[in-house]
Amino acid sequence: MKRLLRFALVLVALIAIGAFVLWRVSRTPPAWYQPPNVRDPAVNELAETVENRMVELAQKVRPRAEQWSLRVRENQINAWLAARLPKWIANQGDTEWAADRIPVQVRLESGAISMAAAVERGQSARTVVARIQPTLEPGGLRLKLDSVALGRIALPGEPLANLLRIVEPMLPASFDLDEARDILKVLDGSTLVEPEMNLADGRRVRLIALRIDDGVLEFTAETVGEYD
């Protein structure tokens, strides 16, 4: 009886330790999650340089059907996300974006993009990581949510359901929940996204090719429309 009791106590202790470790690890962000400091002048300068280069290439007047390419590194994208994305969202009329509370960072892997954000819930904060596999097809851009993790713990089950379960309670009261669900449901891969962006002069930037390697994103596009 004493041996059985001791075994039970050891088993309970091991379960408790395991649960504590999982609890701590789920609150520990991935090692690569280190968002740039938005108050660093160098980060802002890099973000502005990347944005200006993108705008310059997109708006350049070219012969009909001429294609152009851009290669951006992971640190350039993350600088833009830290320094320019909040301002861009504010220009769209959304004043509830809190860059300091919800810093976003991406990690470029072979054929996939991992996006991480530290979000607050009550008195605690967790890092949500979503891994997406983008594929450019003849009908458009397909975005497939591959996995979702809390901190360093990958969640079992269907990734989209996990993401919806995490995100919905964290949305501001003014956020259109139906719109959020529609956007997230694109990530099940069943709906293709039109790979185009409108320019102020009426032309459009159309994505032609996309390649993702470790730390690097390279895409080819063409600017089409009224002035091509």
Side-chain angles (χ1 to χ4, degrees):
M1 179 64 70
K2 288 183 179 180
R3 289 186 62 189
L4 182 61
L5 179 59
R6 179 174 296 179
F7 175 80
L9 290 174
V10 170
L11 181 62
V12 170
L14 290 175
I15 293 174
I17 292 172
F20 176 75
V21 169
L22 288 175
W23 177 81
R24 287 295 302 271
V25 172
S26 71
R27 283 163 170 75
T28 304
W32 56 266
Y33 182 67
Q34 299 176 12
N37 183 359
V38 71
R39 296 177 178 83
D40 186 344
V43 171
N44 284 270
E45 182 179 355
L46 179 58
E48 187 172 354
T49 299
V50 172
E51 183 174 301
N52 290 341
R53 179 59 174 162
M54 176 69 181
V55 172
E56 177 188 352
L57 288 173
Q59 294 185 345
K60 182 179 179 180
V61 178
R62 296 181 172 84
R64 180 181 296 273
E66 181 181 270
Q67 298 180 0
W68 52 273
S69 298
L70 180 64
R71 181 183 175 93
V72 291
R73 298 189 304 274
E74 192 176 277
N75 66 316
Q76 294 173 318
I77 297 174
N78 286 322
W80 188 88
L81 290 173
R84 304 298 292 178
L85 178 61
K87 298 176 183 178
W88 183 84
I89 292 178
N91 289 336
Q92 308 304 308
D94 189 343
T95 59
E96 295 198 41
W97 180 267
D100 293 333
R101 282 199 311 114
I102 315 178
V104 179
Q105 185 180 353
V106 301
R107 185 187 189 192
L108 302 178
E109 307 163 6
S110 181
I113 302 174
S114 290
M115 304 183 64
V119 292
E120 296 179 358
R121 189 172 185 180
Q123 300 299 317
S124 63
R126 285 188 174 184
T127 304
V128 181
V129 184
R131 187 175 185 270
I132 301 169
Q133 294 178 318
T135 306
L136 191 60
E137 302 179 3
L141 181 65
R142 188 182 303 279
L143 302 174
K144 179 64 177 178
L145 183 63
D146 180 64
S147 64
V148 174
L150 279 178
R152 302 186 182 188
I153 297 295
L155 299 180
E158 207 283 313
L160 183 59
N162 287 331
L163 188 59
L164 285 169
R165 193 179 307 114
I166 295 170
V167 169
E168 284 188 2
M170 300 176 181
L171 295 174
S174 62
F175 202 91
D176 188 332
L177 190 56
D178 291 333
E179 181 180 359
R181 286 172 176 162
D182 291 339
I183 294 172
L184 290 174
K185 286 179 180 177
V186 172
L187 299 178
D188 67 3
S190 61
T191 302
L192 297 182
V193 179
E194 186 68 28
E196 290 190 354
M197 178 182 69
N198 295 326
L199 299 178
D201 61 9
R203 294 180 299 159
R204 305 182 311 281
V205 173
R206 179 184 299 155
L207 187 62
I208 302 298
L210 178 68
R211 185 170 65 89
I212 306 172
D213 289 328
D214 291 340
V216 176
L217 170 66
E218 184 174 2
F219 64 86
T220 302
E222 61 180 355
T223 307
V224 299
E226 182 179 353
Y227 300 103
D228 60 10

